[in-house]
Amino acid sequence: MAKTPKTTTAPTGSIAPFGLRMLPELRDRVEESAKESGRSMNAEIVERLSRSYQSDDTIRLLRGNIELLRTLANFITLRHNHPEVMAPMEGAMLKMARAVQATEDESKLRTAIEPSMREYTAGLEAFLDRVNEMLGPGWAKELPESSRKPKPKP
């Protein structure tokens, strides 16, 4: 049973026509999908093309969220292993967490957390500067390769 046809958001007269060539097999699939959804072939193509852009936006948001989760995971791990070092950066992480909670529109999340992310990064850089002062530049080069990689917890 065909669904009720959906209407377009813009009047048809305001949309410029666009010629499209496609393989017969693809045309058959579009025609079949259009019938199932109760849309014209043109409306079906426009709907599917629109959804593909929404998917692109979703993927970008997820990548940004993954970056945020990695930052949080790194902080938690470092805070657990080196509480004395990471304590000064806890404020920046709390600000970041509050910004995430207060931002309902995910497309604005990166902008919302940017100041606290900069503060956190500056704290890490200051910590590394202190380590370099104490141990001298190039200290990490002298470590064996195996000690540079984080060891998994049992």
Side-chain angles (χ1 to χ4, degrees):
M1 182 171 150
K3 295 178 184 175
T4 307
K6 295 180 182 177
T7 58
T8 58
T9 56
T12 308
S14 68
I15 301 173
F18 181 79
L20 178 67
R21 288 190 283 263
M22 69 177 81
L23 296 170
E25 299 83 17
L26 180 57
R27 185 188 190 289
D28 292 344
R29 289 184 72 184
V30 170
E31 186 174 23
E32 183 179 324
S33 296
K35 284 179 187 174
E36 288 175 8
S37 65
R39 292 189 277 259
S40 68
M41 284 182 61
N42 185 76
E44 184 69 22
I45 292 168
V46 169
E47 172 67 21
R48 287 176 176 259
L49 187 57
S50 295
R51 274 193 273 152
S52 76
Y53 283 109
Q54 289 170 351
S55 294
D56 290 350
D57 293 342
T58 300
I59 289 168
R60 270 192 293 281
L61 285 172
L62 287 173
R63 284 187 181 137
N65 289 343
I66 289 170
E67 180 181 327
L68 182 59
L69 287 171
R70 281 193 181 124
T71 300
L72 179 59
N74 288 338
F75 172 78
I76 290 169
T77 303
L78 288 168
R79 179 74 167 108
H80 177 75
N81 294 335
H82 307 284
E84 70 289 348
V85 173
M86 297 306 288
M89 288 171 266
E90 193 169 300
M93 288 304 292
L94 286 171
K95 288 178 192 173
M96 196 180 312
R98 288 182 185 120
V100 169
Q101 289 174 330
T103 307
E104 291 186 26
D105 183 350
E106 289 191 24
S107 66
K108 296 178 182 176
L109 192 57
R110 182 177 289 280
T111 303
I113 66 166
E114 191 173 326
S116 50
M117 182 69 89
R118 274 198 304 261
E119 184 181 336
Y120 174 70
T121 303
L124 286 175
E125 289 171 355
F127 167 70
L128 289 174
D129 288 343
R130 287 193 307 267
V131 169
N132 282 331
E133 275 179 28
M134 291 187 304
L135 301 178
W139 61 270
K141 291 178 187 172
E142 296 171 14
L143 294 175
E145 184 68 30
S146 61
S147 67
R148 291 188 215 170
K149 297 177 184 172
K151 294 177 183 170
K153 298 261 179 190

PDB file of all heavy atoms in Angstrom, residues 18-43:
ATOM      1  N   PHE A  18      16.128  20.514 -13.577  1.00  0.00           N
ATOM      2  CA  PHE A  18      17.491  19.992 -13.671  1.00  0.00           C
ATOM      3  C   PHE A  18      17.434  18.649 -14.370  1.00  0.00           C
ATOM      4  O   PHE A  18      16.826  17.708 -13.869  1.00  0.00           O
ATOM      5  CB  PHE A  18      18.074  19.832 -12.256  1.00  0.00           C
ATOM      6  CG  PHE A  18      19.485  19.323 -12.236  1.00  0.00           C
ATOM      7  CD1 PHE A  18      20.541  20.170 -12.501  1.00  0.00           C
ATOM      8  CD2 PHE A  18      19.755  17.988 -11.961  1.00  0.00           C
ATOM      9  CE1 PHE A  18      21.841  19.699 -12.470  1.00  0.00           C
ATOM     10  CE2 PHE A  18      21.053  17.520 -11.936  1.00  0.00           C
ATOM     11  CZ  PHE A  18      22.102  18.382 -12.198  1.00  0.00           C
ATOM     12  N   GLY A  19      18.046  18.558 -15.534  1.00  0.00           N
ATOM     13  CA  GLY A  19      18.083  17.296 -16.266  1.00  0.00           C
ATOM     14  C   GLY A  19      19.055  16.337 -15.596  1.00  0.00           C
ATOM     15  O   GLY A  19      20.088  16.741 -15.074  1.00  0.00           O
ATOM     16  N   LEU A  20      18.704  15.060 -15.575  1.00  0.00           N
ATOM     17  CA  LEU A  20      19.533  14.086 -14.874  1.00  0.00           C
ATOM     18  C   LEU A  20      19.590  12.800 -15.683  1.00  0.00           C
ATOM     19  O   LEU A  20      18.564  12.268 -16.078  1.00  0.00           O
ATOM     20  CB  LEU A  20      18.930  13.809 -13.488  1.00  0.00           C
ATOM     21  CG  LEU A  20      19.634  12.786 -12.609  1.00  0.00           C
ATOM     22  CD1 LEU A  20      21.005  13.313 -12.187  1.00  0.00           C
ATOM     23  CD2 LEU A  20      18.792  12.505 -11.380  1.00  0.00           C
ATOM     24  N   ARG A  21      20.807  12.318 -15.924  1.00  0.00           N
ATOM     25  CA  ARG A  21      20.972  11.029 -16.590  1.00  0.00           C
ATOM     26  C   ARG A  21      21.370  10.022 -15.537  1.00  0.00           C
ATOM     27  O   ARG A  21      22.154  10.316 -14.646  1.00  0.00           O
ATOM     28  CB  ARG A  21      22.067  11.115 -17.657  1.00  0.00           C
ATOM     29  CG  ARG A  21      21.679  11.908 -18.884  1.00  0.00           C
ATOM     30  CD  ARG A  21      22.720  11.725 -19.989  1.00  0.00           C
ATOM     31  NE  ARG A  21      23.915  12.519 -19.741  1.00  0.00           N
ATOM     32  CZ  ARG A  21      24.149  13.715 -20.265  1.00  0.00           C
ATOM     33  NH1 ARG A  21      23.278  14.252 -21.060  1.00  0.00           N
ATOM     34  NH2 ARG A  21      25.246  14.346 -20.004  1.00  0.00           N
ATOM     35  N   MET A  22      20.811   8.822 -15.635  1.00  0.00           N
ATOM     36  CA  MET A  22      21.182   7.758 -14.705  1.00  0.00           C
ATOM     37  C   MET A  22      21.042   6.416 -15.390  1.00  0.00           C
ATOM     38  O   MET A  22      20.321   6.287 -16.389  1.00  0.00           O
ATOM     39  CB  MET A  22      20.337   7.835 -13.429  1.00  0.00           C
ATOM     40  CG  MET A  22      18.876   7.501 -13.596  1.00  0.00           C
ATOM     41  SD  MET A  22      17.972   7.540 -12.048  1.00  0.00           S
ATOM     42  CE  MET A  22      17.674   9.270 -11.870  1.00  0.00           C
ATOM     43  N   LEU A  23      21.727   5.438 -14.847  1.00  0.00           N
ATOM     44  CA  LEU A  23      21.656   4.089 -15.385  1.00  0.00           C
ATOM     45  C   LEU A  23      20.226   3.556 -15.252  1.00  0.00           C
ATOM     46  O   LEU A  23      19.530   3.881 -14.277  1.00  0.00           O
ATOM     47  CB  LEU A  23      22.613   3.171 -14.639  1.00  0.00           C
ATOM     48  CG  LEU A  23      24.102   3.508 -14.787  1.00  0.00           C
ATOM     49  CD1 LEU A  23      24.922   2.678 -13.819  1.00  0.00           C
ATOM     50  CD2 LEU A  23      24.556   3.277 -16.217  1.00  0.00           C
ATOM     51  N   PRO A  24      19.798   2.733 -16.194  1.00  0.00           N
ATOM     52  CA  PRO A  24      18.430   2.203 -16.133  1.00  0.00           C
ATOM     53  C   PRO A  24      18.134   1.460 -14.827  1.00  0.00           C
ATOM     54  O   PRO A  24      17.031   1.586 -14.288  1.00  0.00           O
ATOM     55  CB  PRO A  24      18.356   1.250 -17.330  1.00  0.00           C
ATOM     56  CG  PRO A  24      19.432   1.696 -18.269  1.00  0.00           C
ATOM     57  CD  PRO A  24      20.499   2.307 -17.406  1.00  0.00           C
ATOM     58  N   GLU A  25      19.114   0.725 -14.308  1.00  0.00           N
ATOM     59  CA  GLU A  25      18.900  -0.014 -13.065  1.00  0.00           C
ATOM     60  C   GLU A  25      18.619   0.934 -11.899  1.00  0.00           C
ATOM     61  O   GLU A  25      17.764   0.677 -11.053  1.00  0.00           O
ATOM     62  CB  GLU A  25      20.119  -0.895 -12.724  1.00  0.00           C
ATOM     63  CG  GLU A  25      20.441  -1.950 -13.751  1.00  0.00           C
ATOM     64  CD  GLU A  25      21.283  -1.411 -14.915  1.00  0.00           C
ATOM     65  OE1 GLU A  25      21.900  -0.322 -14.826  1.00  0.00           O
ATOM     66  OE2 GLU A  25      21.312  -2.102 -15.955  1.00  0.00           O
ATOM     67  N   LEU A  26      19.347   2.037 -11.862  1.00  0.00           N
ATOM     68  CA  LEU A  26      19.141   3.020 -10.797  1.00  0.00           C
ATOM     69  C   LEU A  26      17.789   3.700 -10.964  1.00  0.00           C
ATOM     70  O   LEU A  26      17.060   3.906  -9.999  1.00  0.00           O
ATOM     71  CB  LEU A  26      20.268   4.059 -10.799  1.00  0.00           C
ATOM     72  CG  LEU A  26      20.191   5.144  -9.734  1.00  0.00           C
ATOM     73  CD1 LEU A  26      20.141   4.537  -8.333  1.00  0.00           C
ATOM     74  CD2 LEU A  26      21.376   6.093  -9.865  1.00  0.00           C
ATOM     75  N   ARG A  27      17.439   4.005 -12.215  1.00  0.00           N
ATOM     76  CA  ARG A  27      16.140   4.624 -12.479  1.00  0.00           C
ATOM     77  C   ARG A  27      15.014   3.708 -12.002  1.00  0.00           C
ATOM     78  O   ARG A  27      14.049   4.163 -11.388  1.00  0.00           O
ATOM     79  CB  ARG A  27      15.982   4.920 -13.972  1.00  0.00           C
ATOM     80  CG  ARG A  27      14.701   5.672 -14.282  1.00  0.00           C
ATOM     81  CD  ARG A  27      14.483   5.788 -15.795  1.00  0.00           C
ATOM     82  NE  ARG A  27      13.402   6.678 -16.100  1.00  0.00           N
ATOM     83  CZ  ARG A  27      12.109   6.427 -15.880  1.00  0.00           C
ATOM     84  NH1 ARG A  27      11.754   5.304 -15.308  1.00  0.00           N
ATOM     85  NH2 ARG A  27      11.179   7.296 -16.191  1.00  0.00           N
ATOM     86  N   ASP A  28      15.152   2.420 -12.247  1.00  0.00           N
ATOM     87  CA  ASP A  28      14.138   1.462 -11.806  1.00  0.00           C
ATOM     88  C   ASP A  28      14.015   1.468 -10.278  1.00  0.00           C
ATOM     89  O   ASP A  28      12.907   1.417  -9.735  1.00  0.00           O
ATOM     90  CB  ASP A  28      14.471   0.047 -12.295  1.00  0.00           C
ATOM     91  CG  ASP A  28      14.359  -0.101 -13.815  1.00  0.00           C
ATOM     92  OD1 ASP A  28      13.741   0.777 -14.455  1.00  0.00           O
ATOM     93  OD2 ASP A  28      14.906  -1.083 -14.346  1.00  0.00           O
ATOM     94  N   ARG A  29      15.148   1.532  -9.601  1.00  0.00           N
ATOM     95  CA  ARG A  29      15.123   1.553  -8.131  1.00  0.00           C
ATOM     96  C   ARG A  29      14.464   2.824  -7.606  1.00  0.00           C
ATOM     97  O   ARG A  29      13.680   2.788  -6.652  1.00  0.00           O
ATOM     98  CB  ARG A  29      16.537   1.433  -7.572  1.00  0.00           C
ATOM     99  CG  ARG A  29      17.125   0.036  -7.779  1.00  0.00           C
ATOM    100  CD  ARG A  29      18.462  -0.089  -7.140  1.00  0.00           C
ATOM    101  NE  ARG A  29      18.309  -0.129  -5.676  1.00  0.00           N
ATOM    102  CZ  ARG A  29      19.317  -0.167  -4.840  1.00  0.00           C
ATOM    103  NH1 ARG A  29      20.559  -0.171  -5.299  1.00  0.00           N
ATOM    104  NH2 ARG A  29      19.125  -0.206  -3.549  1.00  0.00           N
ATOM    105  N   VAL A  30      14.799   3.957  -8.240  1.00  0.00           N
ATOM    106  CA  VAL A  30      14.193   5.230  -7.825  1.00  0.00           C
ATOM    107  C   VAL A  30      12.691   5.188  -8.069  1.00  0.00           C
ATOM    108  O   VAL A  30      11.899   5.591  -7.208  1.00  0.00           O
ATOM    109  CB  VAL A  30      14.836   6.426  -8.569  1.00  0.00           C
ATOM    110  CG1 VAL A  30      14.060   7.712  -8.322  1.00  0.00           C
ATOM    111  CG2 VAL A  30      16.297   6.594  -8.169  1.00  0.00           C
ATOM    112  N   GLU A  31      12.296   4.668  -9.217  1.00  0.00           N
ATOM    113  CA  GLU A  31      10.868   4.590  -9.550  1.00  0.00           C
ATOM    114  C   GLU A  31      10.128   3.701  -8.536  1.00  0.00           C
ATOM    115  O   GLU A  31       9.057   4.063  -8.045  1.00  0.00           O
ATOM    116  CB  GLU A  31      10.697   4.042 -10.972  1.00  0.00           C
ATOM    117  CG  GLU A  31       9.263   4.059 -11.456  1.00  0.00           C
ATOM    118  CD  GLU A  31       9.150   3.651 -12.927  1.00  0.00           C
ATOM    119  OE1 GLU A  31      10.058   2.955 -13.436  1.00  0.00           O
ATOM    120  OE2 GLU A  31       8.149   4.026 -13.537  1.00  0.00           O
ATOM    121  N   GLU A  32      10.723   2.576  -8.202  1.00  0.00           N
ATOM    122  CA  GLU A  32      10.108   1.666  -7.235  1.00  0.00           C
ATOM    123  C   GLU A  32       9.990   2.329  -5.856  1.00  0.00           C
ATOM    124  O   GLU A  32       8.945   2.263  -5.196  1.00  0.00           O
ATOM    125  CB  GLU A  32      10.940   0.385  -7.129  1.00  0.00           C
ATOM    126  CG  GLU A  32      10.343  -0.657  -6.200  1.00  0.00           C
ATOM    127  CD  GLU A  32      11.190  -1.916  -6.160  1.00  0.00           C
ATOM    128  OE1 GLU A  32      11.763  -2.313  -7.195  1.00  0.00           O
ATOM    129  OE2 GLU A  32      11.281  -2.491  -5.057  1.00  0.00           O
ATOM    130  N   SER A  33      11.054   2.996  -5.423  1.00  0.00           N
ATOM    131  CA  SER A  33      11.036   3.694  -4.135  1.00  0.00           C
ATOM    132  C   SER A  33      10.010   4.822  -4.121  1.00  0.00           C
ATOM    133  O   SER A  33       9.323   5.042  -3.116  1.00  0.00           O
ATOM    134  CB  SER A  33      12.415   4.273  -3.815  1.00  0.00           C
ATOM    135  OG  SER A  33      13.351   3.255  -3.662  1.00  0.00           O
ATOM    136  N   ALA A  34       9.902   5.530  -5.230  1.00  0.00           N
ATOM    137  CA  ALA A  34       8.934   6.633  -5.331  1.00  0.00           C
ATOM    138  C   ALA A  34       7.510   6.103  -5.201  1.00  0.00           C
ATOM    139  O   ALA A  34       6.682   6.686  -4.498  1.00  0.00           O
ATOM    140  CB  ALA A  34       9.116   7.377  -6.653  1.00  0.00           C
ATOM    141  N   LYS A  35       7.244   4.980  -5.841  1.00  0.00           N
ATOM    142  CA  LYS A  35       5.905   4.381  -5.740  1.00  0.00           C
ATOM    143  C   LYS A  35       5.621   3.959  -4.302  1.00  0.00           C
ATOM    144  O   LYS A  35       4.537   4.212  -3.772  1.00  0.00           O
ATOM    145  CB  LYS A  35       5.783   3.172  -6.673  1.00  0.00           C
ATOM    146  CG  LYS A  35       5.613   3.541  -8.126  1.00  0.00           C
ATOM    147  CD  LYS A  35       5.527   2.289  -8.993  1.00  0.00           C
ATOM    148  CE  LYS A  35       5.541   2.658 -10.463  1.00  0.00           C
ATOM    149  NZ  LYS A  35       5.593   1.470 -11.320  1.00  0.00           N
ATOM    150  N   GLU A  36       6.596   3.322  -3.646  1.00  0.00           N
ATOM    151  CA  GLU A  36       6.421   2.859  -2.269  1.00  0.00           C
ATOM    152  C   GLU A  36       6.170   4.014  -1.300  1.00  0.00           C
ATOM    153  O   GLU A  36       5.413   3.878  -0.346  1.00  0.00           O
ATOM    154  CB  GLU A  36       7.648   2.060  -1.814  1.00  0.00           C
ATOM    155  CG  GLU A  36       7.751   0.698  -2.448  1.00  0.00           C
ATOM    156  CD  GLU A  36       9.038  -0.026  -2.062  1.00  0.00           C
ATOM    157  OE1 GLU A  36       9.781   0.472  -1.178  1.00  0.00           O
ATOM    158  OE2 GLU A  36       9.309  -1.087  -2.657  1.00  0.00           O
ATOM    159  N   SER A  37       6.816   5.139  -1.551  1.00  0.00           N
ATOM    160  CA  SER A  37       6.683   6.280  -0.644  1.00  0.00           C
ATOM    161  C   SER A  37       5.567   7.230  -1.046  1.00  0.00           C
ATOM    162  O   SER A  37       5.266   8.172  -0.317  1.00  0.00           O
ATOM    163  CB  SER A  37       8.007   7.039  -0.555  1.00  0.00           C
ATOM    164  OG  SER A  37       8.316   7.619  -1.803  1.00  0.00           O
ATOM    165  N   GLY A  38       4.959   6.993  -2.206  1.00  0.00           N
ATOM    166  CA  GLY A  38       3.874   7.858  -2.669  1.00  0.00           C
ATOM    167  C   GLY A  38       4.356   9.204  -3.184  1.00  0.00           C
ATOM    168  O   GLY A  38       3.625  10.187  -3.139  1.00  0.00           O
ATOM    169  N   ARG A  39       5.588   9.242  -3.659  1.00  0.00           N
ATOM    170  CA  ARG A  39       6.144  10.486  -4.195  1.00  0.00           C
ATOM    171  C   ARG A  39       6.388  10.340  -5.689  1.00  0.00           C
ATOM    172  O   ARG A  39       6.460   9.235  -6.216  1.00  0.00           O
ATOM    173  CB  ARG A  39       7.482  10.806  -3.513  1.00  0.00           C
ATOM    174  CG  ARG A  39       7.383  11.180  -2.061  1.00  0.00           C
ATOM    175  CD  ARG A  39       8.726  11.699  -1.546  1.00  0.00           C
ATOM    176  NE  ARG A  39       9.613  10.612  -1.163  1.00  0.00           N
ATOM    177  CZ  ARG A  39       9.824  10.220   0.094  1.00  0.00           C
ATOM    178  NH1 ARG A  39       9.196  10.818   1.081  1.00  0.00           N
ATOM    179  NH2 ARG A  39      10.642   9.243   0.359  1.00  0.00           N
ATOM    180  N   SER A  40       6.577  11.480  -6.335  1.00  0.00           N
ATOM    181  CA  SER A  40       7.020  11.453  -7.733  1.00  0.00           C
ATOM    182  C   SER A  40       8.489  11.039  -7.733  1.00  0.00           C
ATOM    183  O   SER A  40       9.166  11.075  -6.691  1.00  0.00           O
ATOM    184  CB  SER A  40       6.873  12.843  -8.358  1.00  0.00           C
ATOM    185  OG  SER A  40       7.797  13.745  -7.754  1.00  0.00           O
ATOM    186  N   MET A  41       8.987  10.666  -8.894  1.00  0.00           N
ATOM    187  CA  MET A  41      10.410  10.299  -8.971  1.00  0.00           C
ATOM    188  C   MET A  41      11.272  11.495  -8.589  1.00  0.00           C
ATOM    189  O   MET A  41      12.263  11.352  -7.876  1.00  0.00           O
ATOM    190  CB  MET A  41      10.765   9.793 -10.374  1.00  0.00           C
ATOM    191  CG  MET A  41      10.274   8.386 -10.638  1.00  0.00           C
ATOM    192  SD  MET A  41      10.743   7.763 -12.258  1.00  0.00           S
ATOM    193  CE  MET A  41      12.511   7.786 -12.198  1.00  0.00           C
ATOM    194  N   ASN A  42      10.897  12.679  -9.062  1.00  0.00           N
ATOM    195  CA  ASN A  42      11.662  13.877  -8.729  1.00  0.00           C
ATOM    196  C   ASN A  42      11.690  14.097  -7.217  1.00  0.00           C
ATOM    197  O   ASN A  42      12.748  14.343  -6.631  1.00  0.00           O
ATOM    198  CB  ASN A  42      11.055  15.102  -9.426  1.00  0.00           C
ATOM    199  CG  ASN A  42      11.896  16.335  -9.206  1.00  0.00           C
ATOM    200  OD1 ASN A  42      12.934  16.502  -9.817  1.00  0.00           O
ATOM    201  ND2 ASN A  42      11.448  17.195  -8.296  1.00  0.00           N
ATOM    202  N   ALA A  43      10.527  14.005  -6.569  1.00  0.00           N
ATOM    203  CA  ALA A  43      10.462  14.206  -5.118  1.00  0.00           C
ATOM    204  C   ALA A  43      11.282  13.143  -4.390  1.00  0.00           C
ATOM    205  O   ALA A  43      11.922  13.435  -3.372  1.00  0.00           O
ATOM    206  CB  ALA A  43       9.009  14.186  -4.643  1.00  0.00           C
TER     207      ALA A  43
END
